[in-house]
Coordinates of all heavy atoms in Angstrom, one line a residue:
P110 N 3.5 5.9 -20.6 CA 4.3 6.9 -21.3 C 3.5 7.6 -22.5 O 2.5 7.0 -23.0 CB 5.4 6.1 -21.9 CG 4.9 4.7 -22.0 CD 3.9 4.6 -20.9
A111 N 3.9 8.8 -22.9 CA 3.4 9.4 -24.1 C 3.6 8.5 -25.2 O 4.7 7.8 -25.3 CB 4.0 10.8 -24.3
G112 N 2.7 8.4 -26.2 CA 2.8 7.5 -27.3 C 2.3 6.1 -27.0 O 2.6 5.1 -27.8
S113 N 1.6 5.9 -25.9 CA 1.2 4.5 -25.5 C -0.1 4.2 -26.1 O -0.6 3.0 -26.1 CB 1.0 4.5 -24.0 OG 0.0 5.4 -23.5
G114 N -0.8 5.1 -26.7 CA -2.1 4.8 -27.3 C -3.3 4.9 -26.4 O -4.4 4.6 -26.7
Y204 N -2.1 -5.2 -23.2 CA -0.7 -5.6 -23.4 C 0.0 -4.4 -24.0 O -0.4 -3.8 -25.0 CB -0.7 -6.8 -24.4 CG 0.7 -7.2 -24.8 CD1 1.5 -8.0 -24.0 CD2 1.3 -6.7 -26.0 CE1 2.8 -8.3 -24.4 CE2 2.5 -7.1 -26.5 CZ 3.3 -7.9 -25.6 OH 4.6 -8.2 -26.0
Y205 N 1.1 -4.0 -23.3 CA 1.9 -2.9 -23.8 C 3.1 -3.5 -24.6 O 3.9 -4.3 -24.1 CB 2.5 -2.1 -22.6 CG 3.3 -0.9 -23.0 CD1 2.9 0.0 -24.0 CD2 4.6 -0.7 -22.5 CE1 3.7 1.1 -24.4 CE2 5.4 0.4 -22.8 CZ 4.9 1.3 -23.8 OH 5.7 2.3 -24.2
T206 N 3.1 -3.0 -25.9 CA 4.1 -3.6 -26.8 C 5.6 -3.2 -26.4 O 6.5 -3.8 -26.9 CB 3.9 -3.1 -28.2 OG1 4.0 -1.7 -28.3 CG2 2.5 -3.5 -28.7
G207 N 5.7 -2.1 -25.6 CA 7.0 -1.6 -25.3 C 7.5 -0.6 -26.3 O 8.6 0.0 -26.1
Q208 N 6.7 -0.5 -27.4 CA 7.1 0.5 -28.4 C 6.2 1.8 -28.2 O 5.0 1.8 -28.5 CB 6.8 0.0 -29.8 CG 7.7 -1.2 -30.3 CD 7.3 -1.6 -31.7 OE1 6.1 -1.8 -32.0 NE2 8.3 -1.9 -32.5
S209 N 6.8 2.8 -27.7 CA 6.2 4.1 -27.6 C 6.3 4.7 -29.1 O 7.3 4.6 -29.7 CB 6.8 5.0 -26.6 OG 6.2 6.3 -26.6
R210 N 5.2 5.3 -29.6 CA 5.3 5.8 -30.9 C 4.8 7.2 -31.0 O 4.1 7.7 -30.2 CB 4.4 4.9 -31.9 CG 3.0 5.2 -31.9 CD 2.2 4.7 -30.7 NE 0.8 5.0 -30.8 CZ 0.2 6.1 -30.4 NH1 0.9 7.1 -29.9 NH2 -1.1 6.2 -30.5
E211 N 5.2 7.9 -32.1 CA 4.8 9.2 -32.3 C 3.6 9.2 -33.2 O 3.6 8.9 -34.4 CB 6.0 10.0 -33.1 CG 5.6 11.4 -33.5 CD 5.2 12.2 -32.3 OE1 5.9 12.5 -31.4 OE2 4.0 12.7 -32.3
S212 N 2.4 9.5 -32.5 CA 1.1 9.3 -33.2 C 0.9 10.4 -34.3 O 0.2 10.2 -35.2 CB 0.0 9.4 -32.2 OG 0.0 10.6 -31.5
G273 N 1.9 2.3 -41.4 CA 2.5 2.3 -40.1 C 1.5 2.0 -38.9 O 2.0 2.0 -37.7
V274 N 0.2 1.9 -39.2 CA -0.7 1.5 -38.1 C -0.3 0.2 -37.5 O -0.3 0.1 -36.2 CB -2.1 1.5 -38.6 CG1 -3.1 1.0 -37.6 CG2 -2.6 2.9 -39.0
S275 N 0.1 -0.7 -38.3 CA 0.6 -2.0 -37.8 C 2.0 -2.2 -38.3 O 2.5 -1.4 -39.1 CB -0.3 -3.2 -38.3 OG 0.1 -4.4 -37.5
N276 N 2.7 -3.2 -37.8 CA 4.1 -3.5 -38.2 C 4.3 -5.0 -37.8 O 3.4 -5.6 -37.2 CB 5.1 -2.6 -37.5 CG 5.0 -2.7 -36.0 OD1 4.9 -3.8 -35.4 ND2 5.1 -1.5 -35.3
P277 N 5.4 -5.6 -38.3 CA 5.6 -7.0 -38.0 C 5.5 -7.4 -36.6 O 5.0 -8.5 -36.3 CB 7.0 -7.2 -38.6 CG 7.2 -6.2 -39.7 CD 6.4 -5.0 -39.2
Q278 N 6.0 -6.6 -35.7 CA 6.0 -7.0 -34.2 C 4.5 -7.0 -33.7 O 4.1 -8.0 -33.1 CB 6.8 -6.0 -33.4 CG 6.7 -6.4 -31.9 CD 7.3 -5.3 -31.0 OE1 8.1 -4.4 -31.4 NE2 7.0 -5.4 -29.7
I279 N 3.8 -6.0 -34.1 CA 2.4 -6.0 -33.7 C 1.6 -7.2 -34.3 O 0.8 -7.8 -33.6 CB 1.7 -4.6 -34.1 CG1 2.3 -3.5 -33.3 CG2 0.2 -4.7 -34.0 CD1 1.9 -2.1 -33.8
D280 N 1.9 -7.5 -35.6 CA 1.2 -8.6 -36.2 C 1.5 -9.9 -35.5 O 0.7 -10.8 -35.4 CB 1.6 -8.7 -37.7 CG 1.0 -7.5 -38.5 OD1 0.0 -6.9 -38.1 OD2 1.5 -7.2 -39.6
V282 N 2.4 -10.4 -32.4 CA 1.7 -10.4 -31.1 C 0.3 -10.7 -31.3 O -0.3 -11.6 -30.6 CB 1.9 -9.1 -30.3 CG1 1.0 -9.0 -29.1 CG2 3.4 -8.9 -29.9
I296 N -5.2 -2.3 -31.7 CA -4.4 -1.3 -31.0 C -5.3 -0.2 -30.4 O -6.3 0.1 -31.0 CB -3.5 -0.7 -32.1 CG1 -2.3 -1.6 -32.4 CG2 -2.9 0.7 -31.6 CD1 -1.1 -1.5 -31.5
S297 N -4.9 0.3 -29.3 CA -5.6 1.5 -28.7 C -4.9 2.7 -29.2 O -3.7 2.8 -28.9 CB -5.7 1.4 -27.2 OG -6.4 2.5 -26.7
G300 N -2.0 3.8 -33.5 CA -1.3 2.7 -34.0 C 0.2 2.8 -34.0 O 0.8 3.9 -33.6
G301 N 0.9 1.8 -34.5 CA 2.4 1.9 -34.7 C 3.1 1.4 -33.4 O 4.3 1.3 -33.4
G302 N 2.3 1.1 -32.3 CA 2.9 0.7 -31.1 C 2.0 1.0 -30.0 O 0.8 1.1 -30.2
G303 N 2.5 1.1 -28.8 CA 1.7 1.4 -27.6 C 0.9 0.2 -27.1 O 1.5 -0.9 -27.1
F304 N -0.3 0.4 -26.6 CA -1.1 -0.7 -26.0 C -2.0 -1.4 -27.0 O -2.6 -0.8 -27.9 CB -1.9 -0.1 -24.9 CG -1.2 0.0 -23.6 CD1 -0.5 1.2 -23.3 CD2 -1.2 -1.0 -22.7 CE1 0.1 1.4 -22.1 CE2 -0.5 -0.8 -21.5 CZ 0.1 0.4 -21.2
M305 N -2.0 -2.7 -26.9 CA -3.0 -3.6 -27.6 C -4.0 -4.1 -26.6 O -3.6 -4.4 -25.4 CB -2.3 -4.7 -28.3 CG -1.2 -4.3 -29.3 SD -0.3 -5.7 -30.0 CE -1.6 -6.2 -31.2
P325 N 8.4 -9.5 -25.9 CA 9.1 -8.6 -25.0 C 8.2 -7.6 -24.3 O 8.8 -6.8 -23.6 CB 10.1 -8.0 -26.0 CG 9.5 -8.0 -27.3 CD 8.7 -9.3 -27.3
G326 N 7.0 -7.5 -24.6 CA 6.1 -6.5 -24.0 C 5.7 -6.8 -22.6 O 6.3 -7.6 -21.9
E327 N 4.7 -6.1 -22.1 CA 4.3 -6.2 -20.7 C 2.7 -6.2 -20.6 O 2.0 -5.5 -21.3 CB 4.8 -4.9 -19.9 CG 4.4 -4.9 -18.5 CD 4.9 -3.6 -17.8 OE1 5.5 -2.8 -18.5 OE2 4.7 -3.5 -16.6

Side-chain angles (χ1 to χ4, degrees):
S113 64
Y204 174 82
Y205 181 49
T206 63
Q208 290 181 319
S209 179
R210 84 285 181 272
E211 176 54 62
S212 63
V274 170
S275 191
N276 59 44
Q278 181 190 341
I279 292 171
D280 290 341
V282 171
I296 284 274
S297 180
F304 278 88
M305 304 178 73
E327 180 183 1

